[in-house]
Amino acid sequence: MPSALTVIRVAVPRPLHSLYDYHVPEGQELPLVGARVRVPFGNSRVVGICVENDVKEGRIETKPILDVIDQEAAIPATLLDLAQWMSQYYHHPLGEVLATILPSAARRGSAFEIKALPIARRWLLKQADFKNPRATRQEALVQWLGTAVTEATDGVPEEAILKAGFTRDVISRLVDLGVLEAAPEIEPAPLQQPLDPTPAQADAIKAVRDSDGFSIFLLEGVTGSGKTEVYLQAMAPALNAGGQILVLVPEIALTPQTLARFEDRFGRTGMIHSGLTDQQRLQTWLRCKSGELTILIGTRSAIFTPFAKLGLIIVDEEHDSSYKQQEGLRYSARDLAAKRAQQEDIPLLLGSATPSLESIFNVQRGRYRHLLLADRAGGASMPSYHIIDLRGQTLHGGLASSLIQTIREHLAASGQVLLYLNRRGYAPTLLCQSCGWQAVCPDCDARLTLHRTPAVMICHHCALRLEVPNHCEACGQGALLPLGQGTQRTEDSLASLFPDVPIHRIDRDTTRTNRQLNAQLQQIHEGQPCIMVGTQMLAKGHHFPSVTLVAVLNADAGLLSPDFRAPERTAQLIVQVAGRAGRAAKPGQVWIQSHQPDNPLLGRLIEDGYAGFAKTELESRSLAGLPPMHPMALLRAEAENQALAQAFLANCKAHLEQVQVAQEGGPEARVNLYGPVPAPMARLANRYRFQLMLIAPSRNTLHRLLQSLGHPRVPAALRWSIDVDPYDAL
Ligand code: ADP
Ligand code: ZN
Ligand code: ZN
């Protein structure tokens, strides 16, 4: 091979830690670093990323690249840096990291081309009595338009028609027949003016605006304190300087009001979330990359969007668990936001009413600046707390008598009531009354949850669905008794306790689509007395001005969990649910049902508030040698063969211990290894799961030790992973 050939180094989208060298055939242009290239790999061709285009000491034998896809870098330099950092930090192959960063349409190698935005057309129905028995789709559309949307005087968006399952073809035929007509364009609503900030808001806004280059702010603001207004006004200098803004939110469906506020203030904003098609996602990605879009609001993966000139990153509800990816590349979008802000030399604004202990710790050690909004904007007062001692009480559908009485009073005073229960379905257990047998999932170490309407047993871990048994599978005799409360059962009980009151159940079973959720929310926002019962979908983001009573029906699940993060999570949840109450003129009450009324966590939370709780909890984390002071990683392994999974981790442990013995340094420099032990869900989807926990005195020792694992070869029947900073340590 002539030595004059240019050799490039390519990251391929495979779970392999090596990079691969290829040469550029004569006459072929040289790909830029960050460009996508098509290369032969094994027996196939793959789309990889060129990470070096001037390899001096490449291997002698290299295959030629097939094709250079991009004339410019698909992955700009800052993102490539971020990818390299992630690969090291999360101990994950660079090729797979890059594949995660690219939108899937780009991964397949299609050329980057920004398409003109479709015109947002709306259609008016001119002939509601149109009939054509030979064209049933046309009739169906006319009927759909006639019934579903009689109120829409300025026309029905074409998007909604397509979503309902009608084609453009049907629309255009009806247009030709004069049955449909394009609606006149609507004048865009004038943009909303900034609110007059409260003094606390003004201080926070000024701090962010005055920051020069990289710094991180933690905006801790009680629910309803006006954090969004701070975000909106803090954006001004970046926008004025022609910069772009990235706003991360936990889940788009749960934060419609936040989104609406950005749009009302700035007009069109881009959005990236799981509801988009691959093409829509790619188009938004490209518009950010080119600089055309100035504001992007997105969920977790939006942190990987390239920007022409990023000026500020905002992470709303920074404590939210959805920022942590729990499979594959287990990254934290919040932590990556910090890294990215540092690379781009721009400010990062984290906001929450209940900040993560990680972020509070970073304030304590001077890494983050603390901004506080201690009071609610607009004068609403904070809710009062009451604990209901469940011991020795007979419950009615999971509700204590005193709670039922309180619900009555609030409804009578025209208030709305929100009941939180983190368990969907009817009952979490189906029990044989004579022998004690319980319906369990055949593939997991878990009970099946009984669902009604439709009646089915569902495993909430592996999603297996089975028929409801009509007799005990062990003794064949006893009657089967549903035990415990799910949201469906509570809804039933409420319906018989309060027959005249509308009841809205809001959980994943009732809100499969955004439309369903929005329809329910709209009714609630009309403000009539009603009862909402739901899972954490209700706890997040929403602003329910008429809610005066919030109840947490079962606080014990969180209080009793052995996970070291359980107290933090439970406190966040209670404060967040409580934050839905009394956000307008009416003061709110929060009732908490527990068998542990004297639980110190509850007491501290109620007496000292979240900040006081967090301070004490950080002290106990420190004493126990846990994160955030002591970084943690989990090695997980799973296989159908129990011994295989366990032995793999036992070998890892033996290896790591040897490495530590060979290293210099006293016991205080040692990483502690715990396990391997069965995971709390020891068998899931018919695979046995084990874990080995590492807790280190410092980041460096943790990473050095993980590095020493190398890349063990494993049998195909075994899956294993490294989770750095695991969220679910159990
Ligand atoms: P948070 O996100 O902190 O829970 P929001 O941003 O939802 O709080 O604000 C709560 C309510 O207070 C909203 O209705 C908002 O319009 C209002 N609000 C915020 N800031 C101000 C202000 N400076 N003056 C008047 N109303 C405000
Ligand atoms: Zn039985
Ligand atoms: Zn299962």
Side-chain angles (χ1 to χ4, degrees), residues 271-345:
M271 278 183 215
I272 286 195
H273 56 86
S274 58
L276 300 180
T277 65
D278 288 354
Q279 255 314 313
Q280 287 171 323
R281 195 180 266 264
L282 177 62
Q283 287 298 314
T284 305
W285 198 83
L286 292 173
R287 288 193 149 78
C288 292
K289 188 168 186 279
S290 74
E292 182 189 323
L293 258 181
T294 41
I295 302 173
L296 179 71
I297 304 182
T299 46
R300 179 172 71 217
S301 67
I303 190 61
F304 301 131
T305 312
F307 289 94
K309 189 179 175 202
L310 191 56
L312 170 68
I313 307 177
I314 295 168
V315 180
D316 190 25
E317 308 292 357
E318 65 88 31
H319 65 281
D320 196 279
S321 63
S322 72
Y323 288 124
K324 170 82 179 178
Q325 166 122 326
Q326 309 267 21
E327 60 196 27
L329 173 55
R330 292 166 161 80
Y331 66 90
S332 153
R334 178 197 62 218
D335 297 349
L336 287 179
K339 187 70 207 166
R340 190 146 184 205
Q342 185 188 25
Q343 281 173 339
E344 311 247 8
D345 197 26

Side-chain angles (χ1 to χ4, degrees), residues 199-239:
Q201 281 173 325
D203 286 348
I205 293 163
K206 183 169 186 314
V208 182
R209 284 185 171 181
D210 288 351
S211 69
D212 185 20
F214 172 61
S215 45
I216 303 182
F217 300 90
L218 176 64
L219 175 63
E220 181 173 4
V222 298
T223 49
S225 60
K227 290 183 287 294
T228 311
E229 191 60 34
V230 174
Y231 303 154
L232 292 168
Q233 297 198 28
M235 288 160 61
L239 289 175

Side-chain angles (χ1 to χ4, degrees), residues 432-437 472-478:
C432 168
Q433 273 183 304
S434 47
C435 77
W437 171 85
C472 169
E473 288 176 15
C475 71
Q477 321 212 336

Side-chain angles (χ1 to χ4, degrees), residues 192 194-199 201 219 221-231 233 257-258 261 265 316-317 352-353 373 375-379 541-543 576 579-580 583:
Q192 193 205 62
L195 300 175
D196 233 350
T198 63
Q201 281 173 325
L219 175 63
V222 298
T223 49
S225 60
K227 290 183 287 294
T228 311
E229 191 60 34
V230 174
Y231 303 154
Q233 297 198 28
Q257 291 150 346
T258 309
R261 267 145 79 186
R265 190 70 58 88
D316 190 25
E317 308 292 357
S352 175
L373 305 180
D375 301 304
R376 286 188 157 179
H542 300 290
H543 182 67
Q576 292 286 347
R580 308 306 121 206
R583 289 174 50 118

Side-chain angles (χ1 to χ4, degrees), residues 414-594:
S414 300
Q416 292 182 338
V417 172
L418 187 157
L419 306 178
Y420 170 83
L421 177 62
N422 203 15
R423 200 180 266 150
R424 66 199 171 86
Y426 188 82
T429 306
L430 190 62
L431 177 86
C432 168
Q433 273 183 304
S434 47
C435 77
W437 171 85
Q438 300 178 2
V440 292
C441 175
D443 296 336
C444 303
D445 282 347
R447 288 184 299 238
L448 292 167
T449 300
L450 172 65
H451 283 241
R452 294 254 175 102
T453 61
V456 61
M457 306 294 296
I458 302 180
C459 174
H460 284 188
H461 302 278
C462 72
L464 183 77
R465 302 166 83 91
L466 293 173
E467 268 179 44
V468 180
N470 47 26
H471 61 267
C472 169
E473 288 176 15
C475 71
Q477 321 212 336
L480 295 179
L481 182 74
L483 267 192
Q485 292 289 323
T487 46
Q488 287 183 354
R489 193 174 200 174
T490 304
E491 181 189 22
D492 277 8
S493 318
L494 290 166
S496 56
L497 285 165
F498 303 96
D500 306 325
V501 180
I503 294 166
H504 301 281
R505 172 159 64 89
I506 298 190
D507 57 29
R508 248 196 302 141
D509 297 318
T510 59
T511 56
R512 287 243 164 58
T513 65
N514 249 339
R515 183 122 63 86
Q516 274 171 310
L517 179 61
N518 288 338
Q520 297 223 48
L521 293 178
Q522 199 173 346
Q523 279 187 27
I524 294 163
H525 280 290
E526 282 166 15
Q528 299 306 315
C530 69
I531 305 177
M532 292 165 245
V533 53
T535 55
Q536 55 188 354
M537 297 187 81
L538 268 183
K540 294 184 181 178
H542 300 290
H543 182 67
F544 299 118
S546 310
V547 168
T548 55
L549 172 65
V550 164
V552 177
L553 297 188
N554 181 5
D556 295 341
L559 298 175
L560 297 173
S561 163
D563 187 336
F564 80 91
R565 274 189 221 277
E568 175 184 1
R569 243 178 264 166
T570 307
Q572 287 167 343
L573 192 109
I574 290 176
V575 174
Q576 292 286 347
V577 183
R580 308 306 121 206
R583 289 174 50 118
K586 305 175 179 177
Q589 290 184 4
V590 181
W591 290 61
I592 300 170
Q593 296 197 140
S594 171

